[in-house]
Short mmCIF file of all heavy atoms in Angstrom, two decimals:
data_model
loop_
_atom_site.label_atom_id
_atom_site.label_comp_id
_atom_site.label_asym_id
_atom_site.label_seq_id
_atom_site.Cartn_x
_atom_site.Cartn_y
_atom_site.Cartn_z
N ASP E 1 6.76 -7.29 -13.76
CA ASP E 1 6.70 -5.94 -13.26
C ASP E 1 5.33 -5.34 -13.54
O ASP E 1 4.85 -5.40 -14.67
CB ASP E 1 7.77 -5.08 -13.89
CG ASP E 1 9.18 -5.49 -13.48
OD1 ASP E 1 9.33 -6.03 -12.38
OD2 ASP E 1 10.10 -5.26 -14.27
N ILE E 2 4.75 -4.75 -12.52
CA ILE E 2 3.46 -4.08 -12.65
C ILE E 2 3.69 -2.58 -12.45
O ILE E 2 4.06 -2.15 -11.37
CB ILE E 2 2.45 -4.59 -11.60
CG1 ILE E 2 2.26 -6.10 -11.70
CG2 ILE E 2 1.12 -3.86 -11.73
CD1 ILE E 2 1.66 -6.58 -12.99
N PRO E 3 3.49 -1.78 -13.50
CA PRO E 3 3.67 -0.34 -13.33
C PRO E 3 2.53 0.26 -12.52
O PRO E 3 1.45 -0.30 -12.43
CB PRO E 3 3.66 0.19 -14.77
CG PRO E 3 2.90 -0.83 -15.54
CD PRO E 3 3.12 -2.14 -14.86
N ALA E 4 2.80 1.42 -11.95
CA ALA E 4 1.78 2.13 -11.17
C ALA E 4 0.89 2.94 -12.12
O ALA E 4 1.33 3.38 -13.17
CB ALA E 4 2.45 3.07 -10.18
N TYR E 5 -0.35 3.10 -11.72
CA TYR E 5 -1.26 3.98 -12.44
C TYR E 5 -1.15 5.37 -11.83
O TYR E 5 -0.98 5.51 -10.63
CB TYR E 5 -2.71 3.48 -12.31
CG TYR E 5 -3.00 2.28 -13.16
CD1 TYR E 5 -2.70 1.01 -12.72
CD2 TYR E 5 -3.58 2.43 -14.41
CE1 TYR E 5 -2.97 -0.10 -13.49
CE2 TYR E 5 -3.85 1.32 -15.20
CZ TYR E 5 -3.55 0.05 -14.74
OH TYR E 5 -3.81 -1.04 -15.52
N ALA E 6 -1.27 6.38 -12.68
CA ALA E 6 -1.23 7.76 -12.19
C ALA E 6 -2.50 8.03 -11.40
O ALA E 6 -3.60 7.86 -11.92
CB ALA E 6 -1.11 8.73 -13.36
N PRO E 7 -2.36 8.44 -10.14
CA PRO E 7 -3.56 8.74 -9.34
C PRO E 7 -4.22 10.03 -9.81
O PRO E 7 -3.55 10.91 -10.36
CB PRO E 7 -3.02 8.88 -7.92
CG PRO E 7 -1.60 9.28 -8.09
CD PRO E 7 -1.14 8.64 -9.37
N PRO E 8 -5.53 10.16 -9.59
CA PRO E 8 -6.21 11.39 -10.00
C PRO E 8 -5.71 12.60 -9.21
O PRO E 8 -5.69 13.71 -9.71
CB PRO E 8 -7.68 11.11 -9.70
CG PRO E 8 -7.68 9.97 -8.75
CD PRO E 8 -6.43 9.21 -8.97
N ALA E 9 -5.29 12.38 -7.97
CA ALA E 9 -4.72 13.40 -7.09
C ALA E 9 -4.05 12.66 -5.95
O ALA E 9 -4.33 11.49 -5.72
CB ALA E 9 -5.81 14.31 -6.56
N ILE E 10 -3.16 13.34 -5.24
CA ILE E 10 -2.55 12.73 -4.06
C ILE E 10 -3.20 13.38 -2.85
O ILE E 10 -2.90 14.52 -2.51
CB ILE E 10 -1.03 12.89 -4.06
CG1 ILE E 10 -0.45 12.19 -5.28
CG2 ILE E 10 -0.45 12.33 -2.77
CD1 ILE E 10 1.04 12.34 -5.44
N VAL E 11 -4.13 12.65 -2.24
CA VAL E 11 -4.91 13.17 -1.13
C VAL E 11 -4.58 12.46 0.17
O VAL E 11 -4.34 13.08 1.19
CB VAL E 11 -6.43 13.06 -1.43
CG1 VAL E 11 -7.27 13.52 -0.25
CG2 VAL E 11 -6.79 13.84 -2.68
N ASP E 12 -4.55 11.12 0.12
CA ASP E 12 -4.34 10.33 1.34
C ASP E 12 -3.68 9.01 0.97
O ASP E 12 -4.30 8.17 0.34
CB ASP E 12 -5.69 10.08 2.03
CG ASP E 12 -5.58 9.27 3.31
OD1 ASP E 12 -4.48 9.18 3.87
OD2 ASP E 12 -6.61 8.73 3.74
N THR E 13 -2.42 8.84 1.37
CA THR E 13 -1.70 7.62 1.03
C THR E 13 -1.85 6.52 2.09
O THR E 13 -1.42 5.39 1.87
CB THR E 13 -0.20 7.90 0.83
OG1 THR E 13 0.33 8.45 2.04
CG2 THR E 13 0.02 8.88 -0.32
N THR E 14 -2.47 6.85 3.22
CA THR E 14 -2.64 5.87 4.28
C THR E 14 -3.50 4.71 3.80
O THR E 14 -4.60 4.91 3.29
CB THR E 14 -3.31 6.50 5.52
OG1 THR E 14 -2.52 7.60 5.94
CG2 THR E 14 -3.45 5.50 6.65
N GLY E 15 -3.02 3.51 3.95
CA GLY E 15 -3.78 2.32 3.59
C GLY E 15 -3.66 1.88 2.15
O GLY E 15 -4.31 0.91 1.74
N CYS E 16 -2.82 2.53 1.36
CA CYS E 16 -2.71 2.16 -0.06
C CYS E 16 -2.09 0.77 -0.23
O CYS E 16 -2.48 0.03 -1.13
CB CYS E 16 -1.90 3.20 -0.82
SG CYS E 16 -2.83 4.72 -1.04
N GLY E 17 -1.16 0.42 0.60
CA GLY E 17 -0.58 -0.92 0.54
C GLY E 17 -1.60 -1.98 0.90
O GLY E 17 -1.68 -3.03 0.26
N ASP E 18 -2.40 -1.70 1.92
CA ASP E 18 -3.47 -2.62 2.30
C ASP E 18 -4.49 -2.75 1.18
O ASP E 18 -4.98 -3.85 0.89
CB ASP E 18 -4.18 -2.13 3.57
CG ASP E 18 -3.29 -2.14 4.79
OD1 ASP E 18 -2.32 -2.93 4.82
OD2 ASP E 18 -3.55 -1.35 5.71
N THR E 19 -4.81 -1.63 0.54
CA THR E 19 -5.76 -1.65 -0.58
C THR E 19 -5.21 -2.48 -1.72
O THR E 19 -5.93 -3.29 -2.30
CB THR E 19 -6.05 -0.21 -1.05
OG1 THR E 19 -6.64 0.53 0.03
CG2 THR E 19 -6.96 -0.18 -2.25
N PHE E 20 -3.93 -2.29 -2.04
CA PHE E 20 -3.30 -3.06 -3.11
C PHE E 20 -3.39 -4.56 -2.80
O PHE E 20 -3.81 -5.36 -3.64
CB PHE E 20 -1.83 -2.65 -3.29
CG PHE E 20 -1.13 -3.41 -4.37
CD1 PHE E 20 -1.07 -2.91 -5.66
CD2 PHE E 20 -0.54 -4.64 -4.11
CE1 PHE E 20 -0.43 -3.62 -6.67
CE2 PHE E 20 0.09 -5.36 -5.12
CZ PHE E 20 0.15 -4.84 -6.40
N PHE E 21 -3.00 -4.94 -1.60
CA PHE E 21 -2.96 -6.36 -1.24
C PHE E 21 -4.36 -6.98 -1.25
O PHE E 21 -4.56 -8.08 -1.77
CB PHE E 21 -2.29 -6.53 0.13
CG PHE E 21 -2.01 -7.96 0.48
CD1 PHE E 21 -1.19 -8.73 -0.32
CD2 PHE E 21 -2.57 -8.52 1.61
CE1 PHE E 21 -0.94 -10.06 0.00
CE2 PHE E 21 -2.32 -9.84 1.94
CZ PHE E 21 -1.50 -10.61 1.13
N ALA E 22 -5.33 -6.28 -0.69
CA ALA E 22 -6.71 -6.79 -0.67
C ALA E 22 -7.26 -6.92 -2.09
O ALA E 22 -7.92 -7.92 -2.40
CB ALA E 22 -7.59 -5.87 0.17
N ALA E 23 -7.00 -5.94 -2.94
CA ALA E 23 -7.49 -6.00 -4.32
C ALA E 23 -6.82 -7.13 -5.09
O ALA E 23 -7.47 -7.84 -5.87
CB ALA E 23 -7.24 -4.66 -5.02
N TYR E 24 -5.54 -7.32 -4.85
CA TYR E 24 -4.81 -8.41 -5.50
C TYR E 24 -5.41 -9.76 -5.10
O TYR E 24 -5.70 -10.61 -5.95
CB TYR E 24 -3.32 -8.34 -5.17
CG TYR E 24 -2.55 -9.48 -5.77
CD1 TYR E 24 -2.16 -9.43 -7.10
CD2 TYR E 24 -2.22 -10.60 -5.03
CE1 TYR E 24 -1.46 -10.47 -7.68
CE2 TYR E 24 -1.52 -11.66 -5.60
CZ TYR E 24 -1.14 -11.60 -6.92
OH TYR E 24 -0.46 -12.62 -7.50
N LEU E 25 -5.60 -9.96 -3.80
CA LEU E 25 -6.17 -11.23 -3.34
C LEU E 25 -7.58 -11.44 -3.87
O LEU E 25 -7.94 -12.56 -4.27
CB LEU E 25 -6.17 -11.28 -1.81
CG LEU E 25 -4.81 -11.42 -1.15
CD1 LEU E 25 -4.97 -11.39 0.38
CD2 LEU E 25 -4.11 -12.69 -1.59
N CYS E 26 -8.37 -10.40 -3.88
CA CYS E 26 -9.75 -10.49 -4.39
C CYS E 26 -9.74 -10.92 -5.86
O CYS E 26 -10.51 -11.79 -6.26
CB CYS E 26 -10.44 -9.15 -4.20
SG CYS E 26 -12.15 -9.13 -4.71
N HIS E 27 -8.87 -10.30 -6.64
CA HIS E 27 -8.81 -10.64 -8.06
C HIS E 27 -8.29 -12.06 -8.25
O HIS E 27 -8.78 -12.78 -9.12
CB HIS E 27 -7.94 -9.64 -8.82
CG HIS E 27 -8.19 -9.65 -10.29
ND1 HIS E 27 -7.77 -10.68 -11.10
CD2 HIS E 27 -8.84 -8.78 -11.09
CE1 HIS E 27 -8.13 -10.43 -12.34
NE2 HIS E 27 -8.79 -9.28 -12.37
N ARG E 28 -7.32 -12.46 -7.47
CA ARG E 28 -6.76 -13.80 -7.59
C ARG E 28 -7.79 -14.88 -7.24
O ARG E 28 -7.72 -15.99 -7.75
CB ARG E 28 -5.52 -13.96 -6.70
CG ARG E 28 -4.30 -13.25 -7.22
CD ARG E 28 -3.66 -13.95 -8.41
NE ARG E 28 -2.99 -15.15 -7.93
CZ ARG E 28 -3.08 -16.33 -8.51
NH1 ARG E 28 -3.79 -16.50 -9.58
NH2 ARG E 28 -2.44 -17.36 -8.01
N LEU E 29 -8.75 -14.56 -6.40
CA LEU E 29 -9.81 -15.52 -6.11
C LEU E 29 -10.72 -15.72 -7.33
O LEU E 29 -11.36 -16.75 -7.47
CB LEU E 29 -10.65 -15.06 -4.92
CG LEU E 29 -9.96 -15.14 -3.57
CD1 LEU E 29 -10.80 -14.47 -2.49
CD2 LEU E 29 -9.66 -16.59 -3.19
N ARG E 30 -10.75 -14.73 -8.21
CA ARG E 30 -11.58 -14.80 -9.41
C ARG E 30 -10.83 -15.30 -10.63
O ARG E 30 -11.43 -15.74 -11.59
CB ARG E 30 -12.15 -13.42 -9.74
CG ARG E 30 -13.15 -12.91 -8.74
CD ARG E 30 -13.66 -11.57 -9.18
NE ARG E 30 -14.79 -11.14 -8.37
CZ ARG E 30 -15.75 -10.36 -8.80
NH1 ARG E 30 -15.73 -9.91 -10.03
NH2 ARG E 30 -16.73 -10.01 -8.00
N SER E 31 -9.51 -15.18 -10.63
CA SER E 31 -8.73 -15.48 -11.82
C SER E 31 -7.33 -15.97 -11.43
O SER E 31 -6.81 -15.61 -10.38
CB SER E 31 -8.59 -14.21 -12.67
OG SER E 31 -7.62 -14.37 -13.67
N SER E 32 -6.74 -16.76 -12.29
CA SER E 32 -5.37 -17.22 -12.04
C SER E 32 -4.34 -16.36 -12.77
O SER E 32 -3.15 -16.64 -12.71
CB SER E 32 -5.23 -18.68 -12.48
OG SER E 32 -5.46 -18.80 -13.86
N ASP E 33 -4.77 -15.30 -13.42
CA ASP E 33 -3.88 -14.44 -14.18
C ASP E 33 -3.18 -13.44 -13.25
O ASP E 33 -3.79 -12.47 -12.79
CB ASP E 33 -4.67 -13.70 -15.26
CG ASP E 33 -3.79 -12.88 -16.20
OD1 ASP E 33 -2.59 -12.72 -15.92
OD2 ASP E 33 -4.32 -12.41 -17.21
N LEU E 34 -1.91 -13.68 -12.98
CA LEU E 34 -1.14 -12.84 -12.05
C LEU E 34 -1.00 -11.41 -12.56
O LEU E 34 -1.11 -10.45 -11.79
CB LEU E 34 0.24 -13.43 -11.82
CG LEU E 34 0.30 -14.81 -11.19
CD1 LEU E 34 1.74 -15.30 -11.15
CD2 LEU E 34 -0.30 -14.80 -9.81
N ASP E 35 -0.76 -11.25 -13.85
CA ASP E 35 -0.55 -9.92 -14.42
C ASP E 35 -1.82 -9.06 -14.30
O ASP E 35 -1.76 -7.90 -13.88
CB ASP E 35 -0.12 -10.04 -15.88
CG ASP E 35 0.35 -8.73 -16.47
OD1 ASP E 35 1.27 -8.12 -15.88
OD2 ASP E 35 -0.21 -8.32 -17.50
N THR E 36 -2.95 -9.64 -14.65
CA THR E 36 -4.21 -8.90 -14.57
C THR E 36 -4.54 -8.55 -13.12
O THR E 36 -5.01 -7.44 -12.83
CB THR E 36 -5.36 -9.73 -15.18
OG1 THR E 36 -5.01 -10.04 -16.54
CG2 THR E 36 -6.67 -8.98 -15.17
N ALA E 37 -4.29 -9.47 -12.21
CA ALA E 37 -4.53 -9.20 -10.79
C ALA E 37 -3.63 -8.07 -10.29
O ALA E 37 -4.07 -7.20 -9.53
CB ALA E 37 -4.30 -10.46 -9.96
N GLY E 38 -2.38 -8.06 -10.72
CA GLY E 38 -1.46 -6.99 -10.33
C GLY E 38 -1.88 -5.63 -10.86
O GLY E 38 -1.82 -4.63 -10.15
N HIS E 39 -2.32 -5.59 -12.12
CA HIS E 39 -2.80 -4.33 -12.70
C HIS E 39 -4.06 -3.85 -11.99
O HIS E 39 -4.21 -2.66 -11.73
CB HIS E 39 -3.06 -4.49 -14.20
CG HIS E 39 -1.82 -4.38 -15.03
ND1 HIS E 39 -1.33 -3.17 -15.47
CD2 HIS E 39 -0.96 -5.32 -15.47
CE1 HIS E 39 -0.23 -3.38 -16.17
NE2 HIS E 39 0.01 -4.68 -16.18
N PHE E 40 -4.96 -4.76 -11.68
CA PHE E 40 -6.18 -4.41 -10.97
C PHE E 40 -5.84 -3.81 -9.61
O PHE E 40 -6.37 -2.78 -9.21
CB PHE E 40 -7.06 -5.66 -10.81
CG PHE E 40 -8.37 -5.39 -10.14
CD1 PHE E 40 -9.44 -4.90 -10.86
CD2 PHE E 40 -8.54 -5.66 -8.79
CE1 PHE E 40 -10.67 -4.66 -10.25
CE2 PHE E 40 -9.75 -5.43 -8.17
CZ PHE E 40 -10.82 -4.92 -8.89
N ALA E 41 -4.93 -4.45 -8.90
CA ALA E 41 -4.52 -3.97 -7.57
C ALA E 41 -3.84 -2.61 -7.66
O ALA E 41 -4.09 -1.73 -6.82
CB ALA E 41 -3.58 -4.99 -6.92
N ALA E 42 -3.01 -2.41 -8.67
CA ALA E 42 -2.34 -1.11 -8.84
C ALA E 42 -3.36 -0.01 -9.12
O ALA E 42 -3.24 1.11 -8.62
CB ALA E 42 -1.32 -1.19 -9.98
N ALA E 43 -4.39 -0.33 -9.91
CA ALA E 43 -5.44 0.65 -10.18
C ALA E 43 -6.22 0.98 -8.92
O ALA E 43 -6.54 2.14 -8.66
CB ALA E 43 -6.37 0.13 -11.28
N CYS E 44 -6.52 -0.03 -8.12
CA CYS E 44 -7.24 0.21 -6.86
C CYS E 44 -6.44 1.12 -5.93
O CYS E 44 -6.99 2.04 -5.32
CB CYS E 44 -7.52 -1.11 -6.15
SG CYS E 44 -8.86 -2.06 -6.86
N ALA E 45 -5.14 0.86 -5.83
CA ALA E 45 -4.29 1.69 -4.97
C ALA E 45 -4.23 3.13 -5.48
O ALA E 45 -4.28 4.08 -4.69
CB ALA E 45 -2.89 1.08 -4.88
N ALA E 46 -4.14 3.30 -6.79
CA ALA E 46 -4.11 4.66 -7.35
C ALA E 46 -5.41 5.40 -7.09
O ALA E 46 -5.40 6.59 -6.76
CB ALA E 46 -3.84 4.59 -8.86
N MET E 47 -6.53 4.70 -7.21
CA MET E 47 -7.82 5.33 -6.92
C MET E 47 -7.92 5.71 -5.45
O MET E 47 -8.46 6.76 -5.11
CB MET E 47 -8.96 4.38 -7.29
CG MET E 47 -9.11 4.16 -8.78
SD MET E 47 -10.38 2.94 -9.17
CE MET E 47 -11.86 3.84 -8.68
N LYS E 48 -7.40 4.86 -4.57
CA LYS E 48 -7.45 5.11 -3.13
C LYS E 48 -6.68 6.37 -2.76
O LYS E 48 -7.10 7.15 -1.92
CB LYS E 48 -6.89 3.88 -2.42
CG LYS E 48 -6.88 3.73 -0.90
CD LYS E 48 -7.03 4.88 -0.13
CE LYS E 48 -6.62 5.11 1.22
NZ LYS E 48 -6.71 6.54 1.46
N ILE E 49 -5.55 6.60 -3.41
CA ILE E 49 -4.73 7.78 -3.13
C ILE E 49 -5.52 9.07 -3.38
O ILE E 49 -5.30 10.08 -2.74
CB ILE E 49 -3.45 7.77 -3.99
CG1 ILE E 49 -2.50 6.67 -3.53
CG2 ILE E 49 -2.73 9.11 -3.94
CD1 ILE E 49 -1.31 6.46 -4.42
N GLY E 50 -6.49 9.01 -4.27
CA GLY E 50 -7.23 10.20 -4.68
C GLY E 50 -8.32 10.67 -3.74
O GLY E 50 -8.96 11.67 -4.01
N HIS E 51 -8.56 9.95 -2.64
CA HIS E 51 -9.59 10.41 -1.70
C HIS E 51 -9.25 9.99 -0.28
O HIS E 51 -8.46 9.09 -0.06
CB HIS E 51 -10.98 9.90 -2.10
CG HIS E 51 -11.20 8.44 -1.85
ND1 HIS E 51 -10.83 7.48 -2.74
CD2 HIS E 51 -11.74 7.79 -0.79
CE1 HIS E 51 -11.13 6.29 -2.25
NE2 HIS E 51 -11.68 6.45 -1.07
N TRP E 52 -9.89 10.65 0.69
CA TRP E 52 -9.67 10.35 2.10
C TRP E 52 -10.40 9.07 2.49
O TRP E 52 -11.47 8.77 1.97
CB TRP E 52 -10.18 11.48 2.99
CG TRP E 52 -9.37 12.72 2.89
CD1 TRP E 52 -9.70 13.85 2.20
CD2 TRP E 52 -8.10 12.96 3.47
NE1 TRP E 52 -8.70 14.78 2.32
CE2 TRP E 52 -7.69 14.25 3.10
CE3 TRP E 52 -7.23 12.20 4.25
CZ2 TRP E 52 -6.49 14.81 3.49
CZ3 TRP E 52 -6.03 12.76 4.64
CH2 TRP E 52 -5.67 14.04 4.27
N GLY E 53 -9.84 8.36 3.43
CA GLY E 53 -10.51 7.19 4.00
C GLY E 53 -10.31 5.93 3.18
O GLY E 53 -9.55 5.90 2.22
N PRO E 54 -11.02 4.88 3.59
CA PRO E 54 -10.86 3.60 2.91
C PRO E 54 -11.44 3.63 1.49
O PRO E 54 -12.34 4.41 1.19
CB PRO E 54 -11.64 2.63 3.79
CG PRO E 54 -12.61 3.47 4.54
CD PRO E 54 -11.94 4.81 4.71
N SER E 55 -10.92 2.75 0.67
CA SER E 55 -11.41 2.64 -0.69
C SER E 55 -12.83 2.07 -0.69
O SER E 55 -13.12 1.12 0.03
CB SER E 55 -10.50 1.72 -1.51
OG SER E 55 -11.01 1.56 -2.80
N GLN E 56 -13.69 2.68 -1.48
CA GLN E 56 -15.06 2.19 -1.60
C GLN E 56 -15.43 2.00 -3.06
O GLN E 56 -16.61 2.01 -3.42
CB GLN E 56 -16.02 3.16 -0.91
CG GLN E 56 -15.76 3.27 0.57
CD GLN E 56 -16.73 4.22 1.26
OE1 GLN E 56 -17.63 4.76 0.66
NE2 GLN E 56 -16.51 4.41 2.54
N ALA E 57 -14.43 1.80 -3.90
CA ALA E 57 -14.65 1.66 -5.33
C ALA E 57 -15.26 0.30 -5.64
O ALA E 57 -14.85 -0.72 -5.09
CB ALA E 57 -13.34 1.81 -6.08
N ALA E 58 -16.21 0.29 -6.53
CA ALA E 58 -16.80 -0.95 -7.02
C ALA E 58 -15.88 -1.55 -8.08
O ALA E 58 -15.04 -0.85 -8.67
CB ALA E 58 -18.18 -0.67 -7.61
N TRP E 59 -16.05 -2.82 -8.33
CA TRP E 59 -15.24 -3.53 -9.33
C TRP E 59 -15.31 -2.79 -10.68
O TRP E 59 -14.29 -2.57 -11.33
CB TRP E 59 -15.76 -4.96 -9.48
CG TRP E 59 -14.87 -5.88 -10.23
CD1 TRP E 59 -14.77 -6.00 -11.59
CD2 TRP E 59 -13.95 -6.81 -9.68
NE1 TRP E 59 -13.85 -6.96 -11.92
CE2 TRP E 59 -13.33 -7.48 -10.76
CE3 TRP E 59 -13.59 -7.15 -8.39
CZ2 TRP E 59 -12.38 -8.47 -10.58
CZ3 TRP E 59 -12.64 -8.15 -8.22
CH2 TRP E 59 -12.04 -8.79 -9.30
N SER E 60 -16.51 -2.39 -11.07
CA SER E 60 -16.69 -1.71 -12.35
C SER E 60 -16.00 -0.34 -12.37
O SER E 60 -15.50 0.09 -13.41
CB SER E 60 -18.17 -1.55 -12.68
OG SER E 60 -18.82 -0.81 -11.67
N ASP E 61 -15.95 0.33 -11.22
CA ASP E 61 -15.24 1.61 -11.13
C ASP E 61 -13.76 1.43 -11.43
O ASP E 61 -13.14 2.26 -12.11
CB ASP E 61 -15.39 2.23 -9.74
CG ASP E 61 -16.81 2.60 -9.39
OD1 ASP E 61 -17.62 2.84 -10.32
OD2 ASP E 61 -17.12 2.64 -8.18
N VAL E 62 -13.19 0.36 -10.91
CA VAL E 62 -11.76 0.09 -11.11
C VAL E 62 -11.50 -0.21 -12.58
O VAL E 62 -10.53 0.30 -13.17
CB VAL E 62 -11.27 -1.07 -10.22
CG1 VAL E 62 -9.80 -1.36 -10.47
CG2 VAL E 62 -11.52 -0.75 -8.76
N LEU E 63 -12.36 -1.00 -13.21
CA LEU E 63 -12.17 -1.32 -14.63
C LEU E 63 -12.26 -0.07 -15.49
O LEU E 63 -11.48 0.11 -16.43
CB LEU E 63 -13.19 -2.37 -15.07
CG LEU E 63 -13.08 -3.73 -14.39
CD1 LEU E 63 -14.17 -4.66 -14.89
CD2 LEU E 63 -11.70 -4.34 -14.58
N GLN E 64 -13.19 0.83 -15.17
CA GLN E 64 -13.29 2.09 -15.91
C GLN E 64 -12.06 2.95 -15.70
O GLN E 64 -11.56 3.59 -16.63
CB GLN E 64 -14.55 2.85 -15.48
CG GLN E 64 -15.82 2.22 -15.97
CD GLN E 64 -17.05 2.94 -15.43
OE1 GLN E 64 -16.96 3.95 -14.74
NE2 GLN E 64 -18.22 2.40 -15.75
N PHE E 65 -11.56 2.99 -14.46
CA PHE E 65 -10.35 3.76 -14.16
C PHE E 65 -9.18 3.23 -14.97
O PHE E 65 -8.39 4.00 -15.53
CB PHE E 65 -10.05 3.69 -12.66
CG PHE E 65 -8.79 4.39 -12.26
CD1 PHE E 65 -8.77 5.77 -12.10
CD2 PHE E 65 -7.61 3.68 -12.04
CE1 PHE E 65 -7.59 6.43 -11.75
CE2 PHE E 65 -6.45 4.32 -11.68
CZ PHE E 65 -6.44 5.71 -11.52
N GLN E 66 -9.05 1.90 -15.05
CA GLN E 66 -7.95 1.30 -15.80
C GLN E 66 -8.00 1.69 -17.28
O GLN E 66 -6.97 1.87 -17.91
CB GLN E 66 -8.00 -0.23 -15.70
CG GLN E 66 -7.47 -0.76 -14.40
CD GLN E 66 -7.49 -2.27 -14.39
OE1 GLN E 66 -8.56 -2.86 -14.25
NE2 GLN E 66 -6.34 -2.87 -14.50
N GLU E 67 -9.19 1.82 -17.84
CA GLU E 67 -9.33 2.17 -19.25
C GLU E 67 -8.86 3.59 -19.55
O GLU E 67 -8.32 3.86 -20.62
CB GLU E 67 -10.79 2.03 -19.69
CG GLU E 67 -11.26 0.61 -19.77
CD GLU E 67 -12.74 0.50 -20.11
OE1 GLU E 67 -13.38 1.56 -20.36
OE2 GLU E 67 -13.24 -0.62 -20.15
N ARG E 68 -9.05 4.50 -18.60
CA ARG E 68 -8.74 5.91 -18.88
C ARG E 68 -7.47 6.42 -18.20
O ARG E 68 -6.97 7.47 -18.57
CB ARG E 68 -9.92 6.79 -18.52
CG ARG E 68 -10.24 6.87 -17.06
CD ARG E 68 -11.40 7.83 -16.79
NE ARG E 68 -11.55 8.07 -15.38
CZ ARG E 68 -12.27 7.31 -14.55
NH1 ARG E 68 -12.90 6.26 -15.01
NH2 ARG E 68 -12.34 7.60 -13.27
N ALA E 69 -6.96 5.71 -17.23
CA ALA E 69 -5.78 6.18 -16.48
C ALA E 69 -4.49 5.90 -17.24
O ALA E 69 -4.40 4.93 -17.99
CB ALA E 69 -5.73 5.51 -15.11
N ALA E 70 -3.53 6.76 -17.01
CA ALA E 70 -2.22 6.59 -17.61
C ALA E 70 -1.33 5.78 -16.68
O ALA E 70 -1.42 5.90 -15.46
CB ALA E 70 -1.58 7.96 -17.86
N LEU E 71 -0.49 4.94 -17.28
CA LEU E 71 0.50 4.21 -16.49
C LEU E 71 1.71 5.10 -16.28
O LEU E 71 2.11 5.84 -17.17
CB LEU E 71 0.92 2.92 -17.21
CG LEU E 71 -0.14 1.85 -17.32
CD1 LEU E 71 0.36 0.71 -18.19
CD2 LEU E 71 -0.51 1.31 -15.94
N MET E 72 2.27 5.04 -15.09
CA MET E 72 3.46 5.84 -14.80
C MET E 72 4.69 5.09 -15.26
O MET E 72 4.70 3.85 -15.27
CB MET E 72 3.53 6.12 -13.29
CG MET E 72 2.33 6.94 -12.80
SD MET E 72 2.33 7.21 -11.03
CE MET E 72 3.70 8.34 -10.89
N PRO E 73 5.72 5.81 -15.69
CA PRO E 73 6.94 5.14 -16.17
C PRO E 73 7.68 4.43 -15.05
O PRO E 73 7.57 4.67 -13.92
CB PRO E 73 7.78 6.28 -16.73
CG PRO E 73 7.18 7.54 -16.25
CD PRO E 73 5.79 7.24 -15.78
#
């Protein structure tokens, strides 16, 4: 089970599933760790919800977000 990260705001949910899937696949190409890939993808989707349009977050932005964001129950 991969919990969701609390988004900074709920601005635009369009494309969050696509963002999650793309981030998961991207991480899986770099690592075989399913749990880490799932957490990375969940963080990307949460970040995407916080702004309009497609996600443009860099890899380092997602890692920083994961360090400071709260996981939702």
Side-chain angles (χ1 to χ4, degrees):
D1 293 332
I2 303 296
Y5 285 84
I10 298 176
V11 177
D12 180 18
T13 60
T14 303
C16 288
D18 295 334
T19 299
F20 180 94
F21 189 60
Y24 178 81
L25 289 177
C26 183
H27 199 287
R28 286 286 287 135
L29 289 172
R30 292 181 170 209
S31 168
S32 62
D33 186 350
L34 299 174
D35 190 55
T36 303
H39 279 273
F40 182 82
C44 284
M47 291 176 69
K48 185 342 204 167
I49 290 172
H51 73 275
W52 291 103
S55 177
Q56 297 181 4
W59 193 278
S60 59
D61 296 335
V62 178
L63 296 179
Q64 289 175 3
F65 177 80
Q66 282 182 285
E67 290 176 3
R68 67 178 189 273
L71 292 173
M72 298 177 70

